[in-house]
Amino acid sequence: MPYGTVAEQISPQIQQALIGIVGKENVICGHEELLVYECDAYTLEKNLPNAVVLPRNSKEVAEVVRLCAKHNLPIIPRGAGTSLSGSVLAVTGGVMIGLARMNRILDLDHRNRRALVEGGCVNAWVTNAAKSHGLLYAPDPSSQSACTIGGNVAMNSGGPHTLKYGVTTNHVLGYEIVLPDGEVLWFGTTPDGGEDVDGYDLRGTAIGSEGMFGIVTRVLVRLIKAPQAFKTMLGIFESVDDASQTVSDIIAAGIVPGALEMMDQLITQAVEAAYHFGFPTDAGAVLIVELDGLGAGLDKQAERVVEICKQNRAREVRMAKTEQERADLWKSRKRAFGAIGRLSPNFLTQDGVVPRSQLPAIMKFIRQTSEECGLRIPNVFHAGDGNIHPLVLYDERDPDQVRRAIDAGNVILEKCIELGGSATGEHGIGVEKIDFMEKQFTKDDLDAMRKLRSVFDPDQRCNPHKMFPGSKRCGDFHHRKQISA
Amino acid sequence: MPTLAPTDLTQLSELLSCASVKGERIDELNLSALNKIIEHRPEDMTVTVEAGKTVAALQTELRKQGQWLPIDPPNPETLTIGSLLAENLNGPRRLGFGTIRDWLIGIRVALADGTLIRSGGKVVKNVAGYDLMKAFVGSRGTLGVIVEATFKLRPVPEVESFAETTCDSLESADKLIQQVVDSPLCPVVLDLHQLPGSNPILVIGFAGTADEVEWQIGQAKTLGIQTPASLEYDRTFWSNTTPAHSVSVLPSKLVEALQKVDAPFLARAGNGIIYYRGAAPAVVTNPNTALMQRLKTTFDPRQTLPDFPFAK
């Protein structure tokens, strides 16, 4: 039996049992309906789960999980399916447990700056609900209007504002998790408890475990005070090197911007063609610098930033004068991936990290790689964090381009690791970057991770075939690999 | 057994490996020989340091480049980075800067059998692999021996300033804390402390640019918090070598909890944490104990490291 094909359909008895738990309308078994769930936002590998269930509460999740445990079926937790690394791919089938029906905000405690939400609650809804209290939920992935808080916990998601505020693990106080054997536990701070909890930090240990330790059903998040004021600037540079140097100089000046994002010429052109924000299309790179905090003294800091941009030969520095201008600027950044459709039928998003000071080196390497493989590689990324997102453009109808795109992505990530960085800053390993684990970690490091997994999931049944070298791959992917070999 | 003091990683690894094979337990380790800063990269705002270095010595080095590790645990002159992590310690600035887990981006650990492993890395954003770092922070040395850590850093704030006011009662302190929370202020410290026979004192602290700190100090004044202050009370509280109990409650229930504490106390009002010396708080059973014990036995199957350290 080749990998990726389903050994057998789940039996009618199990189907009936699932229906008995969540109701007929919340069980999906038909081939056509299952196609929606064949992949996430990583589309190079696809496979169908045997069934998708959409439970309405933790109790139903636990019952479904226990049923799967009894029949030794893989379980695959799924939020909104926005993962860019294939983290919710049903590699060998199994029962996919979607959190779509569990998307409520259960409580918002503004005095204690916490919100309690269900795992399927959309990221952006939390900040929207907190806004009227002058609060916000800091981690803001570009997919925040779709991605879920439970998915964010699984992936330890980031976003443009992580430079100053940190990532998901810094903002999740606690959560309810259904372990792979069906046991329901609460990790970390409880909804009515103090923030310090006795014991090992299970909460932190399971955040970012890519859905392999259990299913997150309710989450207690920390809200922070919304900044009183913003200074959002757009620096326009002749070259990526000048823009990169500006990033380093801002940091060296002791300024910690709320966000520090770079877009190179190719992506700026695409964004401009798509949304008409008035970006210069002949500039080598643009930097979005956002300072936030109290109003007092922010002007002075902004002046300092402008000065640093100018020292690095910025052609121009524009300041958003109104909230609308600021919103437009961010819209352009967050929709940049969407604009790529104008440049190419397909693109492969990479997610490497380098130490900030190595940005010029990695950008140069990407330019060389682009020339060598004959594919365009625009860049839009979290420059302040050293987190790059090269977008390798290709046409999937041309197998040779597919091969070259995969190869280009791989050598870029290898270079990131060589420069002291990581193969993933926020998208996760999933199935996509499994091959990089052995490049970034030793066998002993990986064994320790396997041990940790065995604590939570001794049967390796929860979101299996992810992260670890030697995992099974989808049949389709093997086919592609052969093309690329 | 006498305290073991390995001179380098190889020796530490051997000590653990031998003890593990023989089924012996190593209760205490002195890592003071491992006290080097391996790499400080000011341009990347990161530092990699060995576990035996003291917090104060590290901060002194970082300050030369205008940076600091944003954590202010008790007794930094004697506290090592390894203990800071293993005990998950912090101080008054916790409200503004979080706890040590928020700054840790990489870790190197000697496991119970002497195997050296790493988790995380040297970059500020990194989700490759599981976050084993969090398992070791606060684990009191029972899952492995932390030998090296990499942290994100911050620029030293241009200005730091503290103010305090004496409150008539815990109830009036409660009202004032509420006013601070509702105000636009972003304090990095909000502590309430009380000595025997005196009234509770509320301390507020700000850090940042001169302009923003000055503006906030002015705002605090309008709330009646106007006496210039320092963090000396914190130093005094922790100079007492008798261990303190700690209680963590919802910040809104701090005063309610303090009314039950019949002893001098130090409280992080913004976080809802109370420290005091006296009768121990009631122990509650932890529903996660079985899972935590599984974690312990998985990482220390031959009981080479200290016992499971938490209430069951």
Side-chain angles (χ1 to χ4, degrees):
Chain A
M1 178 82 44
Y3 296 144
T5 47
V6 173
E8 56 191 290
Q9 292 299 311
I10 52 170
S11 67
Q13 287 80 4
I14 295 176
Q15 270 189 44
Q16 274 313 312
L18 288 172
I19 288 169
I21 297 168
V22 297
K24 198 170 193 292
E25 67 281 13
N26 294 317
V27 177
I28 299 164
C29 283
H31 185 265
E32 295 299 308
E33 290 89 348
L34 285 175
L35 281 175
V36 177
Y37 299 93
E38 69 175 356
C39 67
D40 48 34
Y42 171 74
T43 55
L44 275 171
E45 292 178 63
K46 292 172 181 166
N47 196 41
L48 291 184
N50 298 110
V52 175
V53 292
L54 304 170
R56 292 158 295 191
N57 53 54
S58 323
K59 198 170 148 274
E60 288 184 359
V61 174
E63 278 184 58
V64 170
V65 169
R66 275 197 295 271
L67 181 77
C68 294
K70 191 172 144 198
H71 296 282
N72 199 25
L73 287 165
I75 47 174
I76 302 102
R78 180 178 164 118
T82 54
S83 167
L84 288 157
S85 57
S87 301
V88 296
L89 180 69
V91 179
T92 54
V95 175
M96 189 171 276
I97 300 175
L99 276 285
R101 303 261 195 270
M102 296 174 60
N103 59 6
R104 290 174 303 165
I105 295 175
L106 300 171
D107 186 38
L108 202 149
D109 176 357
H110 64 93
R111 166 61 179 90
N112 293 301
R113 295 188 184 155
R114 300 168 167 196
L116 179 65
V117 307
E118 289 183 312
C121 177
V122 172
N123 174 296
W125 296 356
V126 183
T127 287
N128 285 344
K131 217 179 263 171
S132 61
H133 301 285
L135 301 172
L136 60 80
Y137 177 61
D140 60 339
S142 293
S143 58
Q144 70 183 136
S145 58
C147 68
T148 65
I149 298 290
N152 293 168
V153 170
M155 304 307 288
N156 194 14
S157 306
H161 287 87
T162 59
L163 169 61
K164 182 169 177 179
Y165 295 104
V167 294
T168 300
T169 193
N170 309 113
H171 296 274
V172 164
L173 291 163
Y175 49 90
E176 181 184 69
I177 185 168
V178 179
L179 296 183
D181 63 1
E183 189 180 13
V184 184
L185 292 178
W186 189 282
F187 290 176
T189 305
T190 54
D192 53 0
E195 61 183 53
D196 281 356
V197 181
D198 193 44
Y200 297 123
D201 182 7
L202 296 172
R203 156 193 64 143
T205 305
I207 291 176
S209 59
E210 303 200 2
M212 297 167 81
F213 292 176
I215 301 181
V216 173
T217 43
R218 285 191 294 159
V219 187
L220 184 70
V221 300
R222 186 201 306 280
L223 302 172
I224 62 167
K225 200 174 267 188
Q228 210 179 48
F230 296 97
K231 287 283 167 191
T232 310
M233 288 159 274
L234 181 73
I236 297 158
F237 294 84
E238 301 303 336
S239 71
V240 167
D241 283 355
D242 285 349
S244 303
Q245 191 55 49
T246 304
V247 171
S248 290
D249 291 351
I250 290 172
I251 301 288
I255 298 170
V256 182
L260 193 44
E261 302 278 306
M262 199 189 302
M263 297 197 271
D264 71 2
Q265 185 171 20
L266 258 180
I267 197 92
T268 312
Q269 286 170 348
V271 166
E272 190 50 28
Y275 309 121
H276 315 292
F277 288 107
F279 287 179
T281 50
D282 61 338
V286 300
L287 261 191
I288 300 176
V289 188
E290 180 163 281
L291 303 176
D292 64 16
L294 295 164
L298 213 56
D299 281 335
K300 227 186 257 177
Q301 269 205 352
E303 279 166 30
R304 185 88 187 89
V305 169
V306 172
E307 213 172 279
I308 293 168
C309 290
K310 295 263 163 80
Q311 277 163 13
N312 286 294
R313 296 172 289 281
R315 186 195 292 179
E316 190 191 343
V317 185
R318 297 179 193 167
M319 186 92 62
K321 288 182 212 66
T322 61
E323 182 50 38
Q324 187 57 46
E325 281 185 18
R326 172 176 178 257
D328 282 350
L329 207 51
W330 276 115
K331 209 190 279 173
S332 74
R333 163 61 186 90
K334 292 202 174 180
R335 289 193 186 167
F337 283 23
I340 294 292
R342 297 189 160 252
L343 296 179
S344 169
N346 306 92
F347 66 95
L348 180 69
T349 312
Q350 280 305 355
D351 175 41
V353 194
V354 293
R356 258 179 295 257
S357 55
Q358 299 296 329
L359 274 178
I362 192 70
M363 295 311 289
K364 190 172 160 205
F365 183 82
I366 293 171
R367 281 196 300 278
Q368 283 168 358
T369 306
S370 167
E371 278 161 28
E372 280 163 20
C373 71
L375 298 172
R376 289 175 297 169
I377 311 181
N379 288 277
V380 46
F381 60 98
H382 313 303
D385 294 319
N387 185 191
I388 59 166
H389 289 318
L391 305 163
V392 187
L393 308 186
Y394 69 97
D395 184 339
E396 71 176 356
R397 291 164 297 189
D398 176 354
D400 189 57
Q401 280 199 32
V402 177
R403 178 188 63 80
R404 281 182 282 143
I406 293 173
D407 288 351
N410 288 347
V411 295
I412 291 168
L413 293 187
E414 275 165 26
K415 187 71 179 178
C416 287
I417 295 172
E418 187 192 314
L419 291 171
S422 170
T424 176
E426 48 188 16
H427 298 175
I429 297 294
V431 295
E432 183 202 21
K433 291 187 271 293
I434 284 176
D435 293 345
F436 291 92
M437 288 298 279
E438 279 172 313
K439 292 172 182 162
Q440 200 166 327
F441 296 103
T442 65
K443 187 186 161 293
D444 289 338
D445 299 344
L446 293 174
D447 281 347
M449 289 184 207
R450 287 192 181 94
K451 270 191 211 167
L452 184 65
R453 181 189 191 183
S454 76
V455 173
F456 293 88
D457 184 17
D459 303 332
Q460 305 185 12
R461 231 173 7 83
C462 193
N463 208 17
H465 315 299
K466 310 284 157 66
M467 195 178 292
F468 292 104
S471 300
K472 290 181 180 179
R473 306 301 291 256
C474 291
D476 184 44
F477 188 73
H478 273 257
H479 175 60
R480 282 172 192 279
K481 276 274 194 178
Q482 276 156 11
I483 298 172
S484 80
Chain B
M1 184 185 275
T3 301
L4 300 167
T7 54
D8 57 27
L9 282 185
T10 317
Q11 215 179 73
L12 169 67
S13 202
E14 275 166 19
L15 278 176
L16 285 163
S17 151
C18 288
S20 158
V21 169
K22 288 186 202 152
E24 288 171 2
R25 189 200 302 278
I26 297 182
D27 273 315
E28 273 205 80
L29 271 169
N30 178 344
L31 296 185
S32 58
L34 301 168
N35 63 357
K36 285 186 293 296
I37 291 181
I38 291 172
E39 189 180 32
H40 176 205
R41 297 170 72 148
E43 66 279 21
D44 294 325
M45 280 207 294
T46 57
V47 69
T48 301
V49 60
E50 289 184 316
K53 192 160 194 81
T54 67
V55 173
L58 174 66
Q59 301 283 29
T60 304
E61 286 304 309
L62 298 176
R63 252 176 201 277
K64 291 178 187 165
Q65 304 287 340
Q67 299 182 343
W68 76 306
L69 174 61
I71 195 94
D72 56 350
N75 307 311
E77 299 79 12
T78 49
L79 181 73
T80 62
I81 294 294
S83 303
L84 167 73
L85 288 163
E87 306 294 326
N88 188 17
L89 298 172
N90 47 69
R93 292 174 184 84
R94 165 179 183 161
L95 180 63
F97 299 97
T99 60
I100 197 61
R101 77 195 277 290
D102 298 314
W103 300 100
L104 183 69
I105 57 172
I107 200 167
R108 196 167 188 208
V109 176
L111 297 180
D113 65 356
T115 310
L116 287 165
I117 62 143
R118 288 180 197 274
S119 174
K122 289 185 174 179
V123 281
V124 297
K125 211 165 159 192
N126 184 2
V127 292
Y130 299 142
D131 190 351
L132 274 165
M133 291 179 278
K134 301 293 189 291
F136 293 106
V137 172
S139 70
R140 306 189 197 170
T142 60
L143 299 177
V145 181
I146 297 168
V147 296
E148 189 186 302
T150 304
F151 298 104
K152 310 196 262 191
L153 303 172
R154 275 283 188 257
V156 173
E158 196 180 311
V159 177
E160 241 191 357
S161 191
F162 306 97
E164 67 181 31
T165 187
T166 303
C167 304
D168 298 336
S169 62
L170 283 175
E171 290 72 23
S172 67
D174 198 19
K175 285 203 189 85
L176 191 50
I177 291 165
Q178 181 68 49
Q179 280 179 298
V180 171
V181 170
D182 292 339
S183 77
L185 294 174
C186 298
V188 296
V189 174
L190 187 61
D191 276 1
L192 187 67
H193 64 96
Q194 186 170 23
L195 289 171
S198 45
N199 283 341
I201 295 172
L202 186 71
V203 184
I204 196 164
F206 306 102
T209 63
D211 290 323
E212 58 185 339
V213 171
E214 193 187 331
W215 182 81
Q216 293 189 91
I217 284 285
Q219 291 291 305
K221 248 179 215 164
T222 66
L223 296 174
I225 314 171
Q226 52 188 346
T227 312
S230 74
L231 299 181
E232 198 47 41
Y233 62 91
D234 192 72
R235 188 173 269 277
T236 308
F237 186 89
W238 296 110
S239 63
N240 182 337
T241 49
T242 310
H245 300 297
S246 117
V247 176
S248 177
V249 296
L250 265 180
S252 62
K253 298 205 168 143
L254 181 84
V255 164
E256 197 185 310
L258 282 172
Q259 281 158 341
K260 290 178 201 141
V261 172
D262 190 21
F265 65 82
L266 167 61
R268 312 272 181 240
N271 302 90
I273 317 264
I274 303 163
Y275 300 107
Y276 70 96
R277 296 185 180 87
V283 177
V284 280
T285 54
N286 190 330
N288 297 339
T289 298
L291 183 64
M292 292 196 286
Q293 283 177 323
R294 203 148 80 217
L295 181 62
K296 167 70 174 156
T297 42
T298 303
F299 278 85
D300 185 20
R302 299 176 61 87
Q303 292 142 43
T304 316
L305 301 169
D307 269 337
F308 183 76
F310 306 110
K312 295 168 189 174

